[in-house]
Amino acid sequence: MSYSAITSRRVSIPVNVGAVTVGGRAPVVVQSMTNTDTADVAATARQVAELAQAGSELVRVTVDRDDSAKAVPHIREALDRLGVAVPLIGDFHYNGHTLLADHPACAEALAKYRINPGNVGFKEKKDRNFSMMIETALRFARPVRIGVNWGSLDQALLTHLMDLNSKSLSPTTTRQVMHEAVVQSGLLSAARAEELGLPRDKIVISAKCSEVQDLIAVYRSLAARSDYALHLGLTEAGMGSKGIVASTAALGVLLQEGIGDTIRISLTPEPGGDRSREVTVAQEILQTMGLRSFAPMVIACPGCGRTTSTVFQELAQDIQTYVRARITDWRRDYPGFETLQLAVMGCIVNGPGESKHADIGISLPGTGELPSAPVFIDGRKVTTLRGDNIAEQFKEIVEAYVRRRWG
């Protein structure tokens, strides 16, 4: 299923970030962020390459001091030597104006700059510092993301809106004022960037919150009031299943409403955990919603008293592992394979039906059923597998199908 499956998708102004298009009618773009010290060129380049290999189409790196700014062009060179063309985004806070001005090689190596209007500067310094960053973006023809964050909101703007609300004849809640402050911070900053000469097709806005309902409310308002490309994501989704559930709940609603041009899942990794997990979750959200296809889907039943045998669980895991191991070769040799759907079912109740809906499905015997496993291809039963090597037989069927259909 293609991304056009979502009806009434908001069409924003397209922004080119390197060779990647964000917005317009382009598919929703997956991005991620490193958590290495950017000054460590080898470690950062390695993690960027890993994220790109996992499927991240844009990767953001922290640029917080001179050493990290000096490292950015070397990271870009290391990636180029590896053949990793993923665009790099620089994440700036507080001192971005001086870092970009003092390190033009960094400014040139980055494909986009992230500016947080809540901490780009305070009082009379705010506009000067913001203007300096926009001037650098103009000099190098780079887009910017106006990245508003609930946790670092422009306090002067918030105080102003709170005062107006307290004097209103029909005041709203404090939370609604906060929502408005987040939205206005993004829109006013984008308008100021345009006044300074930055075209609309060089501007992306994000307005990140940590609570699901806040995020939905803020982005609905942004989408209704502008046609800028929008970057979606909870600012701190959390760890493990909590982070995945929160991100899916928030982004699922917005994407279903046609809102969002690029997404990041801000998962807290387990100690020593795989940073690329956030990329996989982002892809799975988009794929399960029918917006994009990244890898074959393996459908498997949860099991019940009819499936006391662990055979189908082991087979489902085996097939999932096999598919992931084959992705690199399939991507090279069989364009389009990403839409493949496999079903590994545990008994006759839903097994045959689900198997018929998939491209290839197998229905394993449940408790008390005959020790045979019918296989369905494109809705038709083609064979029945028996014996101790069902997994290998099924893999051979899958391999032959991929070769025949996409070869």
Side-chain angles (χ1 to χ4, degrees), residues 314-333:
E314 293 165 355
L315 179 61
Q317 184 180 49
D318 193 2
I319 296 302
Q320 184 74 66
T321 302
Y322 158 76
V323 166
R324 287 174 179 165
R326 295 291 289 136
I327 282 178
T328 300
D329 290 340
W330 284 351
R331 183 172 288 119
R332 181 191 64 227
D333 299 332

Side-chain angles (χ1 to χ4, degrees), residues 117-118 120-130 154-156:
V120 72
F122 304 98
K123 296 183 178 180
E124 69 279 356
K125 294 181 179 179
K126 179 178 179 179
D127 188 64
R128 183 195 68 188
N129 296 350
F130 182 82
D154 183 335
Q155 292 302 301

Side-chain angles (χ1 to χ4, degrees), residues 63-322:
V63 187
D64 58 347
R65 63 192 194 278
D66 288 317
D67 286 345
S68 59
K70 291 175 183 176
V72 168
H74 299 294
I75 294 168
R76 180 71 270 166
E77 291 168 3
L79 292 169
D80 291 342
R81 286 194 299 270
L82 293 170
V84 178
V86 64
L88 293 178
I89 300 167
D91 192 60
F92 296 96
H93 298 274
Y94 304 107
N95 60 351
H97 57 294
T98 57
L99 291 176
L100 285 170
D102 293 345
H103 301 280
C106 169
E108 186 172 15
L110 293 169
K112 186 174 74 169
Y113 314 144
R114 184 274 176 100
I115 304 174
N116 184 340
N119 57 34
V120 72
F122 304 98
K123 296 183 178 180
E124 69 279 356
K125 294 181 179 179
K126 179 178 179 179
D127 188 64
R128 183 195 68 188
N129 296 350
F130 182 82
S131 298
M132 286 178 64
M133 296 188 76
I134 298 302
E135 287 167 6
T136 302
L138 288 168
R139 177 185 172 189
F140 292 99
R142 297 294 189 263
V144 302
R145 170 158 70 95
I146 306 297
V148 184
N149 195 299
W150 178 271
S152 53
L153 189 56
D154 183 335
Q155 292 302 301
L157 174 61
L158 178 61
T159 300
H160 171 67
L161 292 177
M162 287 289 190
D163 288 343
L164 289 179
N165 187 61
S166 67
K167 298 172 184 176
S168 171
L169 296 177
S170 54
T172 60
T173 66
T174 298
R175 209 162 193 86
Q176 289 173 311
V177 177
M178 290 279 284
H179 292 170
E180 180 63 18
V182 171
V183 172
Q184 283 200 27
S185 181
L187 294 179
L188 291 172
S189 297
R192 178 56 180 151
E194 287 193 63
E195 288 177 5
L196 293 167
L198 194 69
R200 296 175 72 80
D201 64 359
K202 295 287 187 186
I203 299 173
V204 178
I205 294 181
S206 67
K208 293 189 175 182
C209 309
S210 56
E211 298 294 333
V212 170
Q213 295 298 341
D214 294 322
L215 193 83
I216 293 171
V218 164
Y219 273 96
R220 280 174 171 166
S221 181
L222 263 178
R225 293 157 66 174
S226 79
D227 57 0
Y228 294 112
L230 298 180
H231 167 103
L232 303 186
L234 288 169
T235 185
E236 295 108 5
M239 183 178 286
S241 60
K242 185 271 177 187
I244 294 172
V245 170
S247 295
T248 305
L251 271 60
V253 170
L254 292 169
L255 290 168
Q256 184 65 30
E257 294 179 2
I259 298 170
D261 302 293
T262 178
I263 66 172
R264 186 213 168 186
I265 308 302
S266 301
L267 294 181
T268 305
E270 304 288 342
D274 185 359
R275 187 68 168 179
S276 64
R277 179 64 175 146
E278 66 177 53
V279 179
T280 303
V281 173
Q283 291 177 329
E284 289 175 347
I285 290 173
L286 294 175
Q287 184 150 349
T288 54
M289 292 188 69
L291 290 167
R292 292 187 66 182
S293 293
F294 296 95
M297 296 284 284
V298 179
I299 301 164
C301 70
C304 66
R306 293 176 177 271
T307 58
T308 52
S309 168
T310 60
V311 174
F312 90 93
Q313 298 165 340
E314 293 165 355
L315 179 61
Q317 184 180 49
D318 193 2
I319 296 302
Q320 184 74 66
T321 302
Y322 158 76

